[in-house]
Amino acid sequence: MKKISLFIIALNSILASQAQTQFFGKVNVEFEKTTNVHALYKDMEPEWFERIKERLPKTVLSYHNFIGDSTKSIYKPGREVEVDPKTWYRPVADKNVVFTDFKTGRTIAQKPVYEETFLMEDSVSKIKWKLTADTRVIAGYECRKAVGILNDTIGLFAFYTDEIMISGGPEGIQGLPGMILGLGIPRLHATWFATKVDVFDINMNSVTPATKGKKVSRTTMMQSLDKVLRQWGEYGSKLIVNFAI
């Protein structure tokens, strides 16, 4: 009888724990992107960095909003952050608008690149993910760490929660069994972390793709960027990664 009683107590504890876990199918997330400008410039142009580092901010923040459910999502610029006009640095790829159709596996991304605006339509990016045992809490959600390779060349890490049943994340990063609330791309010296997460009364009316821009495939866009940015030397060639994600 004692063993049966202990079993019932343990079972009730498990059921109570499961009952406290909620799962959500819609979300509105604010992401804070942090770019380590000094590390980025030092990596791209070490000699030039030493000459201009006093005119560069150490880090720069930008904000972006993600709204979506299990069928579609939109990632777009969020609240504005004032940029010091005395510095030489200006955020790169901070105006991207990325629409993802999870049902069809297609994406439509509006990407302003200096004087040109591309409207890229293609399949979602292929990312090879490997799940790890590491966890951390982000915006009140326990998240599991995954490491990935984008386009076989760009390393990244992400923290996702399966409490939000959406396989999306910042920019075009997706493909995990839950919502990505934390993302890091070492090559860009940049991280994205959720600062606010709303899961109730989500208005999906704004989840529609952008329509303005030069219509291109991902390959065509990257070829066009390669021709222009490579004229800036190694600095320009490394900027291309910002638009590949």
Side-chain angles (χ1 to χ4, degrees):
M1 287 296 294
K2 186 177 180 180
K3 290 183 178 180
I4 294 175
S5 297
L6 291 173
F7 173 77
I8 292 173
I9 291 171
L11 180 61
N12 287 335
S13 297
I14 293 171
L15 293 175
S17 175
Q18 290 178 340
Q20 292 175 358
T21 302
Q22 298 186 60
F23 298 94
F24 304 98
K26 294 182 181 180
V27 74
N28 186 342
V29 181
E30 179 186 73
F31 284 101
E32 180 182 81
K33 178 185 177 182
T34 303
T35 302
N36 186 329
V37 178
H38 275 206
L40 180 65
Y41 271 69
K42 189 174 182 179
D43 182 41
M44 291 193 296
E45 292 284 354
E47 293 184 8
W48 187 38
F49 167 73
E50 292 299 327
R51 294 198 299 267
I52 68 170
K53 63 182 179 181
E54 299 302 325
R55 298 291 302 275
L56 294 173
K58 290 185 177 180
T59 60
V60 164
L61 301 180
S62 60
Y63 292 89
H64 310 264
N65 296 326
F66 176 103
I67 303 173
D69 60 16
S70 60
T71 65
K72 60 183 180 179
S73 71
I74 191 80
Y75 172 87
K76 57 186 179 181
R79 55 191 168 104
E80 292 287 336
V81 175
E82 187 174 345
V83 178
D84 186 349
K86 293 181 293 184
T87 71
W88 287 9
Y89 179 79
R90 291 296 179 270
V92 178
D94 62 323
K95 303 300 182 185
N96 291 348
V97 178
V98 182
F99 173 84
T100 303
D101 187 325
F102 297 114
K103 283 188 173 181
T104 62
R106 304 286 293 179
T107 184
I108 299 175
Q110 183 185 66
K111 300 199 175 191
V113 186
Y114 302 104
E115 289 78 24
E116 183 76 88
T117 296
F118 294 98
L119 189 66
M120 188 275 293
E121 181 172 1
D122 215 313
S123 58
V124 297
S125 298
K126 291 181 172 57
I127 305 172
K128 298 176 182 177
W129 290 109
K130 181 180 179 181
L131 306 186
T132 77
D134 296 338
T135 62
R136 68 179 291 177
V137 175
I138 301 174
Y141 291 85
E142 184 172 351
C143 298
R144 184 176 179 182
K145 184 180 180 180
V147 293
I149 297 292
L150 171 64
N151 299 334
D152 294 323
T153 59
I154 303 171
L156 49 90
F157 63 87
F159 290 90
Y160 73 94
T161 175
D162 56 11
E163 293 180 52
I164 302 174
M165 299 179 292
I166 299 170
S167 186
E171 297 285 353
I173 306 302
Q174 38 62 49
L176 285 169
M179 180 70 200
I180 296 171
L181 297 182
L183 172 69
I185 302 180
R187 193 164 162 185
L188 298 179
H189 299 280
T191 59
W192 293 251
F193 282 98
T195 56
K196 299 178 183 177
V197 179
D198 294 323
V199 291
F200 300 108
D201 300 322
I202 306 303
N203 187 343
M204 295 288 291
N205 291 337
S206 63
V207 185
T208 57
T211 57
K212 295 181 179 180
K214 180 180 178 181
K215 294 183 178 181
V216 292
S217 65
R218 181 179 286 106
T219 299
T220 302
M221 181 185 72
M222 297 308 293
Q223 288 174 344
S224 297
L225 289 175
D226 186 65
K227 289 179 181 179
V228 174
L229 295 178
R230 281 193 184 278
Q231 296 177 12
W232 300 6
E234 187 175 358
Y235 171 76
S237 66
K238 289 185 177 180
L239 282 180
I240 295 175
V241 179
N242 287 277
F243 305 98
I245 61 173

